[in-house]
Structures are given as structure tokens and as C-alpha cells.
């Protein structure tokens, strides 16, 4: 998948799991690491973990092996690195604290 297709894929997968407040950021002009960030919220530790696991699992099924996954055991903030797209799934308090939209937007 190209980066736009991967972005659409990630957005679709977080929507499958009812992620809230989904934001996509184009960071191609600011980051050499990735093209897009997807930032979303889950209602609880378990919800955050489930959203991230679903994205990673479905990516594998689509032939896009995640480059990494961090924070799965804690569940406050889980990052799924799909290469051209990095998905951040957070609980509300963590999302407010780090405010990635302001940092990267």
C-alpha cells in the first residue's frame, strides 16, 4: 500500500473499534520518520489496547507487518508503527497531557 492507502486503512481500522476523536496529521513536511500520524482516543485501558491490537492484526492480514508496537501492556498510550503511518491510541488524560495535535499540527 502507498502511504495514502495505508492512512485510509488505519483510519478504517480505528473506526471499526469505535475509537473517539480521530485526527489525522500530514507530517511529511516536518518528519523524516513517517508521512502521517493518526491520533485517537479509547474509553479505557482495555479499549485502547483493543484498538491498537486490531490495527496491528488487520495490518498483518493485509500484508503490512507493523514495524513496532509500544505501550500495549500499560494501555494508557499505545503506538502502532506502520512505517508511513504511525497510529497513536490514548486515554483522554494522556492525550491531553502530550497534546500531539499541537506539537505536530
Amino acid at each position: 500500500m502507498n502511504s495514502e492507502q495505508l492512512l485510509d486503512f488505519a483510519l478504517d481500522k480505528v473506526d471499526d473499534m469505535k475509537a473517539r476523536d480521530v485526527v489525522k496529521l500530514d507530517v511529511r513536511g516536518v518528519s523524516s520518520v513517517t508521512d502521517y500520524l493518526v491520533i485517537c482516543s479509547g474509553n479505557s485501558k482495555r479499549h485502547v489496547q483493543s484498538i491498537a491490537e486490531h490495527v496491528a492484526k488487520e495490518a498483518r492480514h493485509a500484508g503490512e507487518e507493523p514495524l513496532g508496537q509500544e505501550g500495549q501492556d500499560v494501555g494508557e498510550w499505545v503506538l502502532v508503527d506502520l512505517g508511513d503511518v504511525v497510529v497513536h491510541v490514548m486515554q483522554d488524560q494522556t492525550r491531553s497531557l502530550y497534546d500531539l495535535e499541537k506539537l505536530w499540527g
Side-chain angles (χ1 to χ4, degrees), residues 15-86:
D15 185 58
D16 286 350
M17 299 299 291
K18 308 291 189 237
R20 293 182 295 100
D21 304 321
V22 179
V23 174
K24 62 180 178 180
L25 297 175
D26 182 341
V27 294
R28 290 177 288 188
V30 233
S31 173
S32 61
V33 177
T34 192
D35 290 344
Y36 297 100
L37 298 179
V38 172
I39 304 166
C40 61
S41 296
N43 298 324
S44 64
K45 171 183 175 177
R46 186 69 200 126
H47 190 211
V48 167
Q49 292 168 325
S50 295
I51 294 166
E53 187 54 40
H54 180 70
V55 171
K57 179 179 140 195
E58 292 299 316
R60 286 185 196 96
H61 285 176
E64 298 288 336
E65 185 66 31
L67 301 177
Q69 192 168 337
E70 299 290 331
Q72 188 69 29
D73 55 334
V74 178
E76 288 182 25
W77 177 356
V78 182
L79 178 145
V80 181
D81 185 348
L82 300 174
D84 290 341
V85 176
V86 175

